[in-house]
Amino acid sequence: GENVEQHPSTLSVQEGDSAVIKCTYSDSASNYFPWYKQELGKRPQLIIDIRSNVGEKKDQRIAVTLNKTAKHFSLHITETQPEDSAVYFCAASPGNTPLVFGKGTRLSVIA
Amino acid sequence: DAGVIQSPRHEVTEMGQEVTLRCKPISGHNSLFWYRQTMMRGLELLIYFNNNVPIDDSGMPEDRFSAKMPNASFSTLKIQPSEPRDSAVYFCASSFDTGSGYTFGSGTRLTVV
């Protein structure tokens, strides 16, 4: 089955700097790659996703890139703000089986 | 739409007691998932349903865990008997299908003492 590895497990950045979180997956059939943000004590919420026919997708300060050959995808957050502090999860799925999540990255944005 | 609704939000119970967690998915979503979240193991898939039918329960840790989905708008996860190691946050999520983005409920924080 699918296996998703996520790095780093913790990340601290200064406000205004960029943050990058990376994930690798094992199943070459995976074609859907969402990212979730979970604030303390709250539910995971979908913030951006990408499908395998696209190499990059942007939404304001957030972007996701996908390299299918290397089987890795990344989340990029630019101009970080204190409200970006949360745990971020990547996930992957070939479409006919449920999402497999990474272990999460705790991002701290220091004002 | 009110989103995915879970109840209760918090549950504290004594070891050996039966616990029932409830979930109402988003109307029109055909897939429903139960996840357990702990610091050590992250988000673990316990079981999922497509069109009310259980598809894969290989993530259910033991026979003490069971789940049902009697109709498209309701699902339960039951633990009987409960043990302290079952303490975790249990999330229900729904989606149009297994390959779409999931919407999570607010979760149930279970504490077994």
Side-chain angles (χ1 to χ4, degrees):
Chain A
E2 177 63 276
N3 181 52
V4 176
E5 300 283 340
Q6 183 171 348
H7 301 279
S9 57
T10 60
L11 179 61
S12 291
V13 299
Q14 292 289 328
E15 183 179 358
D17 287 350
S18 295
V20 180
I21 303 170
K22 299 181 179 180
C23 289
T24 60
Y25 61 99
S26 60
D27 188 347
S28 57
S30 284
N31 57 16
Y32 178 62
F33 308 92
W35 287 87
Y36 287 81
K37 175 183 180 182
Q38 186 177 27
E39 296 176 358
L40 188 62
K42 303 211 174 158
R43 75 188 78 187
Q45 290 194 293
L46 178 68
I47 55 172
I48 194 167
D49 56 12
I50 191 168
R51 296 196 178 269
S52 58
N53 57 343
V54 176
E56 183 177 4
K57 184 176 179 180
K58 289 184 180 179
D59 183 2
Q60 299 182 350
R61 296 186 297 108
I62 293 174
V64 58
T65 58
L66 171 65
N67 183 327
K68 285 219 75 179
T69 303
K71 290 193 281 190
H72 67 71
F73 56 112
S74 301
L75 178 71
H76 305 254
I77 306 174
T78 58
E79 301 173 20
T80 53
Q81 301 168 3
E83 52 264 39
D84 295 329
S85 297
V87 178
Y88 292 81
F89 294 93
C90 64
S93 167
N96 57 352
T97 57
L99 291 174
V100 174
F101 286 86
K103 287 290 197 296
T105 296
R106 183 173 300 277
L107 173 65
S108 299
V109 179
I110 303 165
Chain B
D1 196 327
V4 177
I5 300 172
Q6 288 187 249
S7 64
R9 289 296 305 275
H10 303 274
E11 177 81 29
V12 180
T13 190
E14 292 185 346
M15 182 173 63
Q17 296 298 306
E18 177 179 297
V19 175
T20 299
L21 312 181
R22 297 173 175 79
C23 176
K24 175 179 169 57
I26 290 174
S27 177
H29 280 188
N30 299 312
S31 297
L32 182 141
F33 311 86
W34 283 100
Y35 282 88
R36 178 171 68 177
Q37 185 175 40
T38 60
M39 288 293 292
M40 291 298 295
R41 301 172 72 93
L43 277 164
E44 298 176 276
L45 178 66
L46 301 177
I47 185 171
Y48 77 101
F49 298 81
N50 279 345
N51 298 313
N52 314 339
V53 176
I55 303 300
D56 184 356
D57 66 353
S58 61
M60 298 285 256
E62 299 171 33
D63 291 345
R64 299 184 295 107
F65 287 68
S66 62
K68 294 182 179 180
M69 191 166 185
N71 57 62
S73 59
F74 185 65
S75 177
T76 59
L77 177 68
K78 186 175 294 186
I79 308 172
Q80 165 64 19
S82 58
E83 296 183 4
R85 60 193 165 122
D86 301 331
S87 298
V89 179
Y90 291 80
F91 286 103
C92 174
S94 71
S95 68
F96 287 111
D97 54 47
T98 53
S100 302
Y102 299 175
T103 300
F104 283 83
S106 297
T108 295
R109 182 173 296 277
L110 174 64
T111 303
V112 183
V113 298

